[in-house]
Amino acid sequence: MKDLRRWLYPLLLAVLLLPPMVQTSAQGEKQSQGALRGFQVNSQRLQQTLDKLSEFGRNPEGGVTRLGFSEADMAAREYVMGLMRQAGLAVRVDPAGNIFGRRPGTENLPVLLFGSHIDSVPHGGNFDGDVGSLGALEVMRALNEHKVATRHPLEMVVWSNEEGHHFGKGLFGSGAAAGVLGPGILERRDEQGVSLADWLRRYGQDPARFTEARIRPGSVAGYLELHIEQGAVLEETRIPIGVVQGIVGINWWTCVATGFANHAGTTPMNRRQDALAAAARAVLAVREEVRAEPSRQVGTVGYMRVEPGARNIIPGRVEFPVELRDLEAAKVERIWARIRERFATIAREENVEIECVPLAADQPARTDPVFQQAIREAAQAAGLATRDLPSGAGHDAQNASRFAPMGMIFVPSRGGISHSPREFTPPEEVANGVEVLYRSVLLLDAGLKRTEGGIAGAN
Ligand code: HGY
Ligand code: MN
Ligand code: MN
């Protein structure tokens, strides 16, 4: 008895004194273990399709390289469209290559839309976009299985070319749907010289009808997207569901430093026009100016193309991109203005030219409070804790916000890793997100009219 007291009392005391975060984590663990009980969606059925999808464009590291508008993407789309038809959805592809699958509603109401993308970055993983796309399909299957009728027609969507690697324009399909892309974009070419217009033809579309992909505001009651967090907040706090508050804007420029390629042995140090030395200083200037203000804005130079690119030639030309992201468009403009000043100084001092052209500007977007609340209530009903957080990654949802209220659900990313073959979310955590998507769709469909902090209705 005395022995028992010797370890039991300190144990009880330790439990009572546990800091709140640890208690939350224990609770989170219990929730995610017990989560599969009472779920409407089928985790196993979903995982089978996710596994199969990851075969399209598989890279040697175990992830995928499935660039938007590529052979691998085209094959993956066929696979997903087949699954959609099997689920009884009426499938159509719009002139921008977006895939829609419709399930009728019982009333004459605008569509409730949900989905994501299946294209990837080079050397990408198996979760970014795939989870939200096949999660949307699983929601449709579960509704069928449980014979649930909805008031609104439901549509799942697989947006085309979300990552935009080889055309310098991400959020492509949703951008067309939001009406923010002119047909001029179709002249852009990939590394093989194939234009976007040609790719649309290969996808069975008529590029002349590109602008018809636009979705009129009012024709969609709302948009929901489930996605992996791609950061470590949920994992570190052990919270299974993230309620996204807003999505960052993403601005891309392509810059070229032009110097003079000359002999590396005979050109004195003070007579050089070294484009790479200038570009190297430009990279550091980007970092310094982004860090010069407090808060979460980020700036990246993701590559350099150096010409001619030999050990014994002073580099004459360097191409490098600048990417800036923040939730506030005005802050990005301010930082970019300072970066331009720094580039001008560097160019003068290094005796080179630095020119930058804007390539893409995706606006930041806030999620709709009604949708946030629906997601919180859906998670609570599924026994899952939530946490509000911003998205540092871009998503098609930010374009959808131009034609409908929107919300986003996040599930944890192992180690916060994404845009990498090592991207991972365990099946049960994926299922948590899909269950919350399922329940959010139904809550928004019912359009519960509650005033104080509740759902006010989706349309
Ligand atoms: O780059 C992004 O944030 C997104 O994954 N396309
Ligand atoms: Mn991505
Ligand atoms: Mn994504």
Side-chain angles (χ1 to χ4, degrees), residues 270-330:
N270 62 353
R271 303 246 326 247
R272 294 180 176 221
Q273 291 175 267
D274 185 335
L276 182 55
R281 287 183 62 187
V283 173
L284 298 182
V286 168
R287 192 169 69 164
E288 284 158 18
E289 293 306 330
V290 171
R291 284 178 173 174
E293 299 190 31
S295 197
R296 309 176 56 127
Q297 68 277 359
V298 289
T300 305
V301 176
Y303 68 83
M304 273 194 192
R305 293 209 176 99
V306 182
E307 295 171 24
R311 284 171 206 274
N312 54 0
I313 308 176
I314 296 161
R317 184 182 188 276
V318 178
E319 179 192 301
F320 61 96
V322 177
E323 183 196 83
L324 297 178
R325 301 185 182 213
D326 193 61
L327 280 172
E328 207 192 302

Side-chain angles (χ1 to χ4, degrees), residues 405-428:
M406 70 77 185
M408 279 197 80
I409 302 160
F410 274 176
V411 288
S413 290
R414 184 65 56 82
I417 298 169
S418 185
H419 283 186
S420 156
R422 292 173 60 197
E423 198 168 74
F424 182 68
T425 303
E428 59 277 15

Side-chain angles (χ1 to χ4, degrees), residues 117 119-121 128-129 162-163 227 230 393-395 418-419 423:
H117 62 98
D119 65 301
S120 83
V121 291
D128 177 357
E162 193 270 352
E163 301 287 3
H227 206 281
Q230 308 181 272
H395 298 288
S418 185
H419 283 186
E423 198 168 74

Side-chain angles (χ1 to χ4, degrees), residues 50-296:
L50 279 170
D51 288 349
K52 178 73 191 163
L53 181 57
S54 69
E55 291 174 16
F56 295 89
R58 171 156 286 167
N59 60 37
E61 305 101 320
V64 290
T65 295
R66 195 164 61 226
L67 306 185
F69 297 113
S70 66
E71 301 292 341
D73 183 51
M74 198 150 76
R77 287 162 56 91
E78 287 302 323
Y79 166 65
V80 172
M81 282 192 275
L83 293 177
M84 289 165 73
R85 289 191 191 99
Q86 276 169 29
L89 303 177
V91 176
R92 78 190 154 86
V93 180
D94 79 5
N98 297 313
I99 303 168
F100 294 88
R102 187 177 179 100
R103 186 176 187 271
T106 56
E107 294 178 30
N108 187 16
L109 290 170
V111 144
L112 207 44
L113 187 66
F114 46 97
S116 193
H117 62 98
I118 59 166
D119 65 301
S120 83
V121 291
H123 306 282
N126 295 313
F127 296 82
D128 177 357
D130 297 3
V131 162
S133 299
L134 293 185
L137 176 68
E138 175 51 33
V139 167
M140 295 293 201
R141 288 166 149 172
L143 290 168
N144 292 346
E145 187 182 0
H146 304 303
K147 298 188 173 45
V148 177
T150 56
R151 293 167 57 225
H152 298 77
L154 303 183
E155 281 192 5
M156 67 166 279
V157 57
V158 179
W159 302 107
S160 63
N161 196 23
E162 193 270 352
E163 301 287 3
H165 172 72
H166 55 190
F167 299 100
K169 182 67 203 89
L171 307 181
F172 172 80
S174 59
V180 296
L181 296 179
I185 190 95
L186 301 183
E187 300 312 312
R188 291 196 188 176
R189 290 173 188 277
D190 65 15
E191 291 78 2
Q192 279 76 45
V194 184
S195 70
L196 259 169
D198 287 336
W199 269 114
L200 281 176
R201 278 187 206 99
R202 286 189 191 177
Y203 278 34
Q205 298 307 309
D206 175 2
R209 298 181 52 200
F210 178 66
T211 52
E212 292 172 31
R214 183 164 191 178
I215 295 178
R216 277 177 300 104
S219 61
V220 169
Y223 175 74
L224 277 170
E225 183 164 347
L226 164 68
H227 206 281
I228 54 167
E229 181 199 334
Q230 308 181 272
V233 174
L234 294 176
E235 184 184 63
E236 279 168 10
T237 53
R238 300 212 188 185
I239 301 283
I241 297 294
V243 182
V244 177
Q245 301 159 305
I247 308 170
V248 291
I250 305 180
N251 293 67
W252 282 353
W253 293 267
T254 300
C255 301
V256 174
T258 310
F260 190 84
N262 206 345
H263 198 291
T266 59
T267 314
M269 293 309 281
N270 62 353
R271 303 246 326 247
R272 294 180 176 221
Q273 291 175 267
D274 185 335
L276 182 55
R281 287 183 62 187
V283 173
L284 298 182
V286 168
R287 192 169 69 164
E288 284 158 18
E289 293 306 330
V290 171
R291 284 178 173 174
E293 299 190 31
S295 197
R296 309 176 56 127

Side-chain angles (χ1 to χ4, degrees), residues 151 443-459:
R151 293 167 57 225
L443 277 176
L444 290 166
D445 176 60
L448 300 174
K449 304 262 184 222
R450 265 178 279 144
T451 43
E452 296 273 0
I455 295 162
N459 47 65

